[in-house]
Amino acid sequence: QVQLVESGGGLVQAGGSLRLSCVVSGSIFSINTGAWYRQVPGNSREWVASFVSGGATNYADSVKGRFAISRDNAENTIYLQMNNLKPEDTAVYYCTAEVRISVGSRKRTYWGQGTQVTVST
């Protein structure tokens, strides 16, 4: 079965950097689109960054200029590089991807279980 597993979270000081990874496991044909979301307890899940099928990327205003989303098709991995981290970036970060499991198959969306990012002052 297709699964997404996030890693790379941890505790960092404000101004530091982290690189999150999202491995898409299982046999798939391609990753069509991907995105990162984050959620603080008591709040709704917030969109952070994404890429569309054409390769264009988009970012929430709160992270523009600091975060970068990318992917490695050979490794079936989606990344989120986070620089100049702020305490308000503290959250559980989730990866999601729209994939094809075979040529011509219908695209399906999957979610990971999240990785904790904590930014201290």
Side-chain angles (χ1 to χ4, degrees):
Q1 293 180 324
V2 176
Q3 291 185 316
L4 276 61
V5 180
E6 301 97 334
S7 63
L11 174 64
V12 298
Q13 293 185 349
S17 298
L18 283 175
R19 183 179 176 86
L20 305 184
S21 298
C22 173
V23 177
V24 182
S25 65
S27 181
I28 66 170
F29 173 70
S30 65
I31 299 173
N32 186 246
T33 65
W36 287 92
Y37 288 74
R38 64 188 182 187
Q39 187 169 22
V40 177
N43 292 355
S44 60
R45 190 165 295 185
E46 175 191 20
W47 168 74
V48 174
S50 61
F51 61 85
V52 295
S53 59
T57 58
N58 293 281
Y59 300 91
D61 288 341
S62 59
V63 306
K64 285 181 179 178
R66 300 188 298 119
F67 290 11
I69 187 171
S70 62
R71 64 172 167 179
D72 186 328
N73 287 329
E75 297 182 357
N76 288 332
T77 303
I78 302 168
Y79 300 98
L80 183 68
Q81 178 66 46
M82 305 184 295
N83 299 321
N84 191 24
L85 284 161
K86 304 175 180 180
E88 50 263 45
D89 294 320
T90 296
V92 176
Y93 283 72
Y94 298 89
C95 176
T96 183
E98 183 185 51
V99 306
R100 294 185 189 273
I101 61 175
S102 64
V103 177
S105 66
R106 189 177 71 185
K107 293 176 287 186
R108 298 179 184 272
T109 300
Y110 300 88
W111 287 83
Q113 294 185 330
T115 184
Q116 176 71 47
V117 172
T118 302
V119 184
S120 63
T121 58

